[in-house]
Amino acid sequence: MAKDITAIEVTDLNLNYGTTHTLKNISMRIKSHSVTAFIGPSGCGKSTFLRCLNRMNDFIPSASVSGSVMIDGRDIYAPGVDVIELRKKVGMVFQKPNPFPMSIYDNVAFGPRIHGVKDRTILDGVVESSLRGSALWDEVKDKLHSPANGLSGGQQQRLCIARTIATEPEVVLMDEPTSALDPMATAKIEELCRQLKEKYTVVIVTHNMQQAARISDDTAFFLMGDLIEFGPTDRIFTSPEDKKTGDYITGRFG
Amino acid sequence: MNEKTPGAVITAIASVSLVIMVFLLYFLLQEGLPALREVSIRELILGFDWYPTEEPPALGMAPLIVGSLSVTALSALIAIPLSIAIAVFLSEVAPTWVQEVLKPALELLGFLPSIVLGFLGMVVLAPWLQESFDLLSGLNLLNASVLMGAMIIPIVASLAEESFQAVPRELRDASFALGATRWETIRKVVFPAALPGLLSASLLGIMRALGETMVVLMAAGGAALVPVSIFDPVRPLTSAIAAEMGETPVGSTHYHALFFAGLILLAMTLGINLISMWIEKKGKERWMA
Amino acid sequence: MSRKYVDRLASAVLWTSAATLVIVLLSVMAYILANGAEAISWEFLTQPPRDSMTKGGISTPIIGTFQLVLVSMTFAVPVGIATGIFFAEYASAGIFTTMLRLCVRCLAGVPSVVYGLFGLSLFVIFLRFGSCLLSAGLTLGCLALPLIITASETALLAVPQDFRLASYALGAGKWQTVKKVVLPAAMPTILTGAILSVGRVAGETAPIIFTGAAFFAPNVAKSLFQEVMALPYHIMVLATAGTHIEQTRPIQYGTVLVLLMVVMGVSSVGIIARARLRRKRK
């Protein structure tokens, strides 16, 4: 296992919303084929930081970013970067399951189709392998052409994961993917995260510290736009170096 | 103080709408149906001769009905694609400052009195058409349809914009995160999701065009003929009613026939209204699922 | 890179269609302004038409339009607000409410010329008002009613539920709560709705042609049972029915400009006021 290859290298990243300094001098190295968790109280900037990694913040006109985010040796904020290619490489799963109002099959095939795959046999293959990859195949294989909205919340979220991995990304970003789900569905997604790192680099934002402890290899703690502490999860949860991290983990605030 | 009284009074006043609707139907039927005593329904609807003041009068409304339908169809053809383009622009493409200017402007345009459009059709568009295409008169189907298009663009565009806005933000995010371009997101995600709303918006625009009077009265040319080209004059149902009612003796066959024309209009617009309501309901149910 | 090319092309097409609309709109406005401004003078606004309407001003149609608006709103505003209160506060799910909702929606779609037929048979003939200010005003009122109902209901529903609960907690009854708490909170929004319906009513022609609009009236109507001149109908008369259509063009342009200023002025006030209220709520 090539555990120590860098997937994403962030250097001195700053983000301003208008005059609000939302992210302050963030630098970190996210390891390839690992699960990295971002924790911190709400409003600390962890979701905003996640969205910097596939440039989803581009849609907020007042947001301005400085610093660099290197993925595959290229700065994704350099001029001339193809955002479309970037987002194909860095997929994202959102807080609330957001399947398109189409069939299960069309949801998963959406990405490959817009990226030019027309051949039915290839699409069938991608749909099956992606749904297997998100542990949903057995539940939906007989109703691939029924509407995705008919699935349960947990199934919808796994469908969204399948939809994301169908474009064969290198990185999968997850923005509090279980916050809208019940404990059973959450357990399934967590299990899935551990499997996903075999093939992808997973970065997950969570408000649930137990979740971070259960599934992640590395953990980053954010507070008011600052990256307070970043390191192996076992160490962060057992012997945090910063007092604020300790206070948050032991539930003294947040 | 008795708490029941105000509620009863409010309910009683609220029934006024019901009363108006009932009276409206009652009077149109009462004044319209007697036309059938003297002319068969077949001749009234399918007859091709509309000479209401001849003796005996010829009261075939087919040219009027075809007139209404042709202006409506042509104006819908002009206005609906443009309206949807404007709605897509406003909802998905325009920067905020453009939205803030254009949305109220579009709404204001919806208040433009139809008489003003009809007037422009007579004094500006008609002479221009006449010269450009070497016609006998510029007051024709095309002229009225262009103006009618302008009339319904604000209605269709505003409603269409609302249905684009009703598409959840999360769906766009999901599409962008998969690497779709803005146009792909619009075409493959936003547009299909908004489709019921767009259909309903278009139908309401068509309903408005069918019932609009002043534009066709002034710009359509007024000849009760079935048009064979877009440069032929037409006389839609609404303009026949508005032009002829004033000079018709109350209670004459012609008078009843004009009320019958009103009934046809009412039936068509109510039908479209009900269909659009049904589509809106279906659309909402789809989101709930 | 063809996907990006398509994306840019689509944006260009969308920008172009919006720009075309704006340009056409602005040039039409400029054209009317340029042609109408010449006709407008103090005399034009304050004198009645003279010499078979080929000279003089348009004071009688201006005042007639205001009278029509006044009569229609006197009917439509109270009834519309009461109906809005019914839907927002009193209506229980049932056949009556469903029917009433259906009626309001259908009335909103009835063609204006059909309202004219309705006004002719109910007010002019059946109730024997004759062709007059009252008949025409009430006909316009019926046309405006669905607009005011919808605006009122929306405004009332936007009043936070907490207000009602707080009032009930103080021991107020339902009507007291509606009258003292909910209605005052919703009133500004309801009034902007009413203003917008004035904009719609003032420009309507078809419903008044055979219910009360006069081809020509020497004086302003002094009672509800006299016919009135109205700006939109005056334009139609001068442009289509006069014997001096070409000669009176300047008067026609002037009248169009005055009507536009009245209608667009009132509507802009409504639109701006509503935008302000919405912003305040946020």
Side-chain angles (χ1 to χ4, degrees), chain A residues 5-236:
Chain A
I5 296 173
T6 304
I8 306 171
E9 171 126 37
V10 182
T11 317
D12 286 336
L13 188 95
N14 283 279
L15 183 138
N16 293 288
Y17 283 130
T19 53
T20 335
H21 201 175
T22 310
L23 293 174
K24 302 165 191 165
N25 286 318
I26 312 286
S27 296
M28 71 163 71
R29 206 170 66 85
I30 294 171
K31 286 195 256 24
S32 179
H33 294 280
S34 68
V35 176
T36 303
F38 295 171
I39 60 171
S42 51
C44 67
K46 56 190 192 296
S47 283
T48 308
F49 181 60
L50 190 77
R51 282 163 182 258
C52 285
L53 303 181
N54 66 344
R55 289 187 55 177
M56 283 298 279
N57 284 327
D58 285 12
F59 297 108
I60 302 158
S62 61
S64 63
V65 178
S66 68
S68 74
V69 177
M70 307 290 282
I71 297 178
D72 278 352
R74 283 201 70 184
D75 179 7
I76 65 169
Y77 283 95
V81 163
D82 187 340
V83 182
I84 307 295
E85 281 302 310
L86 167 70
R87 298 208 182 109
K88 187 171 169 242
K89 205 154 51 182
V90 185
M92 185 166 212
V93 176
F94 297 81
Q95 192 166 8
K96 201 175 130 209
N98 54 0
F100 299 128
M102 341 169 158
S103 71
I104 295 169
Y105 184 98
D106 289 338
N107 261 282
V108 183
F110 185 90
R113 276 184 178 142
I114 58 168
H115 294 110
V117 180
K118 291 206 179 69
D119 188 295
R120 188 79 197 187
T121 348
I122 298 179
L123 282 175
D124 286 350
V126 173
V127 169
E128 178 172 348
S129 65
S130 306
L131 286 168
R132 283 189 191 281
S134 71
L136 190 60
W137 176 252
D138 291 334
E139 291 159 60
V140 300
K141 62 174 185 249
D142 301 323
K143 49 174 184 177
L144 287 176
H145 295 282
S146 52
N149 287 342
L151 298 174
S152 73
Q155 289 175 322
Q156 288 188 10
Q157 195 60 301
R158 278 181 284 148
L159 176 65
C160 292
I161 293 173
R163 187 175 63 184
T164 303
I165 59 182
T167 59
E168 296 171 357
E170 292 167 15
V171 181
V172 177
L173 307 177
M174 298 193 182
D175 188 358
E176 303 196 16
T178 60
S179 64
L181 303 180
D182 62 65
M184 288 289 283
T186 301
K188 279 191 181 152
I189 303 269
E190 289 183 4
E191 173 60 31
L192 188 54
C193 281
R194 282 190 290 263
Q195 290 167 14
L196 285 173
K197 73 174 177 184
E198 300 291 322
K199 292 176 79 176
Y200 314 98
T201 303
V202 179
V203 184
I204 181 167
V205 165
T206 176
H207 59 273
N208 178 336
M209 279 171 294
Q210 283 75 37
Q211 183 168 67
R214 278 193 300 265
I215 63 174
S216 71
D217 302 302
D218 292 309
T219 296
F221 172 59
F222 289 83
L223 188 63
M224 317 237 329
D226 286 306
L227 174 59
I228 303 295
E229 194 165 354
F230 177 51
T233 303
D234 326 338
R235 189 186 59 68
I236 295 265

Side-chain angles (χ1 to χ4, degrees), chain B residues 3 6 17-18 27 85 89 107 109-111 119 123-124 179 183-184 213-214 245 255 273 276-277 280, chain C residues 3 7 10 14-15 22 25 31 103 105 113 117 121 125 149 174-175 196 200 236 249 252 263 267 274:
Chain B
E3 262 294 318
S17 299
L18 202 67
F27 279 113
F89 174 78
E107 202 189 352
L109 188 62
F111 283 88
F119 178 75
V123 301
V124 182
W183 175 243
E184 286 160 349
T213 310
M214 300 323 289
M245 188 51 98
Y255 177 85
N273 210 340
S276 77
M277 268 187 257
E280 281 162 33
Chain C
R3 286 175 59 203
D7 188 51
L14 292 172
W15 272 97
V22 172
L25 193 65
Y31 181 83
C103 277
R105 168 83 191 236
V113 73
L117 292 176
S121 41
I125 297 174
I149 293 174
K174 181 150 197 159
W175 173 242
L196 288 174
R200 172 102 339 117
M236 184 188 145
R249 273 289 185 251
Q252 295 167 26
V263 170
S267 312
R274 200 180 47 188

Side-chain angles (χ1 to χ4, degrees), chain C residues 20-269:
Chain C
T20 313
L21 184 81
V22 172
I23 290 167
V24 170
L25 193 65
L26 289 179
S27 32
V28 167
M29 292 294 166
Y31 181 83
I32 294 177
L33 201 62
N35 283 282
E38 291 168 30
I40 292 186
S41 62
W42 182 245
E43 194 215 352
F44 186 70
L45 296 175
T46 54
Q47 297 293 311
R50 281 187 286 116
D51 298 352
S52 317
M53 298 189 277
T54 58
K55 294 209 173 66
I58 53 167
S59 66
T60 30
I62 293 177
I63 294 168
T65 290
F66 278 105
Q67 290 173 315
L68 285 170
V69 167
L70 202 65
V71 173
S72 66
M73 289 300 130
T74 308
F75 165 70
V77 170
V79 176
I81 294 179
T83 312
I85 293 176
F86 174 79
F87 280 133
E89 310 291 330
Y90 284 91
S92 49
I95 184 89
F96 178 72
T97 311
T98 315
M99 285 299 291
L100 203 55
R101 268 193 200 287
L102 194 66
C103 277
V104 172
R105 168 83 191 236
C106 287
L107 284 176
V110 169
S112 54
V113 73
V114 173
Y115 274 108
L117 292 176
F118 161 72
L120 171 67
S121 41
L122 175 63
F123 303 125
V124 178
I125 297 174
F126 184 74
L127 296 174
R128 296 170 200 271
F129 294 163
S131 174
C132 65
L133 172 57
L134 182 62
S135 301
L138 288 175
T139 307
L140 289 173
C142 292
L143 182 139
L145 189 58
L147 306 174
I148 298 180
I149 293 174
T150 315
S152 308
E153 189 194 351
T154 318
L156 289 162
L157 288 178
V159 175
Q161 193 61 26
D162 298 357
F163 285 22
R164 294 183 182 84
L165 295 179
S167 169
Y168 288 138
L170 293 169
K174 181 150 197 159
W175 173 242
Q176 284 171 312
T177 303
V178 170
K179 193 176 72 171
K180 297 251 166 70
V181 179
V182 183
L183 198 54
M187 211 50 180
T189 319
I190 294 179
L191 287 183
T192 56
I195 292 171
L196 288 174
S197 70
V198 169
R200 172 102 339 117
V201 161
E204 278 290 350
T205 324
I208 60 173
I209 299 179
F210 23 83
T211 55
F215 184 85
F216 174 73
N219 294 307
V220 171
K222 299 211 172 44
S223 94
L224 285 172
F225 295 98
Q226 285 176 330
E227 285 198 324
V228 287
M229 294 184 79
L231 287 170
Y233 190 55
H234 192 57
I235 296 170
M236 184 188 145
V237 165
L238 291 180
T240 62
T243 44
H244 311 283
I245 291 177
E246 288 301 326
Q247 196 192 330
T248 59
R249 273 289 185 251
I251 302 184
Q252 295 167 26
Y253 276 113
T255 315
V256 166
L257 184 55
V258 171
L259 177 67
L260 266 187
M261 290 198 302
V262 170
V263 170
M264 296 315 213
V266 169
S267 312
S268 319
V269 169

Side-chain angles (χ1 to χ4, degrees), chain B residues 61-272:
Chain B
M61 287 190 200
L64 312 185
I65 297 172
V66 174
S68 281
L69 295 179
S70 53
V71 174
T72 304
L74 191 54
S75 62
L77 216 59
I78 298 168
I80 291 175
L82 192 56
S83 305
I84 290 179
I86 289 164
V88 171
F89 174 78
L90 276 175
S91 167
E92 312 293 320
V93 178
T96 320
W97 70 269
V98 176
Q99 286 180 7
E100 275 168 11
V101 176
L102 217 52
K103 270 195 214 176
L106 193 66
E107 202 189 352
L108 192 60
L109 188 62
F111 283 88
L112 192 68
S114 53
I115 184 91
V116 173
L117 282 168
F119 178 75
L120 288 174
M122 282 185 94
V123 301
V124 182
L125 200 51
W128 181 78
L129 282 174
Q130 197 174 345
E131 255 174 53
S132 311
F133 297 94
D134 198 21
L135 307 169
L136 285 172
S137 163
L139 298 174
N140 54 33
L141 175 56
L142 179 64
N143 187 337
S145 303
V146 168
L147 293 164
M148 191 73 89
M151 183 89 212
I152 64 174
I153 282 174
I155 301 166
V156 182
S158 307
L159 291 170
E161 200 262 346
E162 277 172 30
S163 35
F164 284 126
Q165 287 291 306
V167 176
R169 163 102 251 140
E170 292 88 40
L171 295 186
R172 295 182 183 82
D173 282 349
S175 172
F176 286 127
L178 289 167
T181 62
R182 183 157 62 183
W183 175 243
E184 286 160 349
T185 303
I186 292 169
R187 201 165 69 87
K188 301 204 168 133
V189 177
V190 181
F191 194 85
L195 199 58
L198 299 181
L199 274 178
S200 165
S202 307
L203 281 176
L204 291 177
I206 287 171
M207 177 180 85
R208 191 69 178 267
L210 258 181
E212 171 48 42
T213 310
M214 300 323 289
V215 164
V216 285
L217 181 60
M218 294 178 79
L225 298 168
V226 172
V228 288
S229 99
I230 54 170
F231 297 118
D232 284 348
V234 288
R235 189 179 192 82
L237 291 161
T238 50
S239 64
I241 298 172
E244 296 166 27
M245 188 51 98
E247 286 135 38
T248 308
V250 173
S252 67
T253 311
H254 183 196
Y255 177 85
H256 293 310
L258 290 177
F259 269 90
F260 196 84
L263 265 181
I264 297 176
L265 272 176
L266 188 68
M268 290 198 286
T269 49
L270 281 184
I272 295 175

